[in-house]
Amino acid sequence: MFVFVCAGCGSELTAPLSQVSLPIHARQKYGNAARLPVLMESGTFAVDPDPWGGPWRMWDEIDPGEAEARGIYAPVRSLSDGAPGASVIAPGDIHGTRLIPEMRGIACCGLDGADGPNMACGTCDLPVAARIDDCSLWQAVRLSPDAVRRVPVDGVRAAPLSWSELAEEGEKTPPFEPIATWAGRFAGSSHHWSWSPQWEAAAGHALAHLLVAAQGQPVEVPGGLTADVFQRALDALLPAGVPKRRAVLAGPGRPSPDAGADILLVPVHPRTGESWSPVGPSASAYRVPLPLGVWLWLDSPQPHLPVPATGRLPLDVLRDDPLPLLPLRLFRADRRALQHTLVRLPAARSPWLRAILENLAQGGLTDLF
């Protein structure tokens, strides 16, 4: 367990926190005027290895060697020159700070942290963090790595759950959920039923890996919900034909993948950030990471509504429960998550993946993303 203290005066700024893996959707910008919830679970923090916020440099100002040294292997519009390594926490876990009004920026409905720290230490006034709560962004506080220090505190931290424990106790992430939106200044908020933002971000991240694993060949994923999430985009982005590279779900509690599986869709440990690894003939297959909650739902989908345990309703009895709510559109992976992930994979140097990235950057493929 750790607390974060001000690097200037040593004042405590957070509750005791334990480290977990950074959620894949941490940088997601979802929809328009959406009211997203808190990113981090209370009592936890995660380290973002990438820079965040200004100052920014356009791609033509950056030497390709410098970009690759920073883990960027394909052109992007711009790169942040902010400090990497910010610790991300829930807004409710910070204390002893005040907002800096002049650093509000030009965000729409709240704060976006794009202009740098907007929270100062309440004791010495050193800018220490950026509060993020604008519409379409996950609510979080990003602690500036050069303005805070991490101090160990007494406390018992349990060892990470094993994969078998996670398979039994892990929380599933439903693919659909109500999305709250700002309906207007006087109308308050409204809701609509949609695909989960977490699923769209997870799919964008995983799709980047699937494209790399495809090696320019068609890819087939399992039917059902997995196909709803990935197959349409894969068929559009990859060439048609046979043979196809085969992707299968693999992970704790499932039978060992057969040797014919080229690609494995595997869960990521929510605390360590490590992907599940197989043993045996499939150990050399390409592993595509999925958040545990998403993987668990794909592995064992839940019914939309409860059904009678035995028997059927009598013929003269009408059901009074509503039909399951479903989104009004086909699934679309998150475009930004796909781009952010793909440019950070060395395979993005290849011409055919560069062509996909250029199409995305120019606003193409709007029916897919």
Side-chain angles (χ1 to χ4, degrees), residues 159-356:
L161 294 178
S162 67
W163 282 114
S164 58
E165 292 171 326
L166 286 173
E168 294 179 2
E169 304 174 22
E171 185 177 350
K172 297 180 179 181
T173 304
F176 320 119
E177 63 180 82
I179 304 298
T181 60
W182 289 105
R185 181 176 178 182
F186 302 106
S189 65
S190 61
H191 297 76
H192 66 274
W193 197 259
S194 180
W195 292 97
S196 163
Q198 294 185 52
W199 273 68
E200 294 189 5
H205 179 79
L207 186 57
H209 285 277
L210 281 166
L211 291 175
V212 171
Q215 300 177 1
Q217 302 176 44
V219 170
E220 183 178 28
V221 300
L225 184 57
T226 307
D228 292 341
V229 170
F230 293 113
Q231 197 65 63
R232 191 167 67 98
L234 289 171
D235 291 345
L237 296 173
L238 296 171
V242 291
K244 292 186 175 182
R245 292 177 66 79
R246 189 164 63 91
V248 300
L249 286 170
R254 292 186 65 88
S256 298
D258 61 67
D262 307 289
I263 305 166
L264 307 180
L265 301 166
V266 301
V268 173
H269 198 292
R271 183 158 147 189
T272 67
E274 296 179 355
S275 298
W276 180 85
S277 298
V279 294
S282 61
S284 60
Y286 190 108
R287 289 178 294 154
V288 173
L290 287 169
L292 177 68
V294 172
W295 184 90
L296 287 172
W297 193 286
L298 288 174
D299 178 55
S300 181
Q302 297 295 303
H304 295 297
L305 292 171
V307 296
T310 58
R312 296 185 178 184
L313 289 174
L315 293 177
D316 57 345
V317 174
L318 299 177
R319 296 184 69 96
D320 60 358
D321 51 359
L323 292 174
L325 292 172
L326 295 173
L328 298 178
R329 60 172 174 81
L330 296 175
F331 183 86
R332 295 178 182 175
D334 189 287
R335 176 189 296 264
R336 293 185 183 89
L338 170 57
Q339 291 172 297
H340 181 85
T341 305
L342 190 52
V343 299
R344 286 164 173 78
L345 299 175
R349 300 187 188 102
S350 63
W352 73 277
L353 286 175
R354 286 283 184 98
I356 291 175

Side-chain angles (χ1 to χ4, degrees), residues 1 21 40 42 50 57 60 80 83 117 131 139 145-146 173 205 207 217 228 231 253 256 265 274 297 320 360 362:
M1 302 288 289
S21 176
M40 301 297 301
S42 181
D50 291 327
R57 281 190 292 161
D60 57 11
S80 167
R131 171 70 183 259
Q139 298 178 46
D146 53 355
T173 304
H205 179 79
L207 186 57
Q217 302 176 44
D228 292 341
Q231 197 65 63
S256 298
L265 301 166
E274 296 179 355
W297 193 286
D320 60 358
L360 290 169
Q362 294 169 7

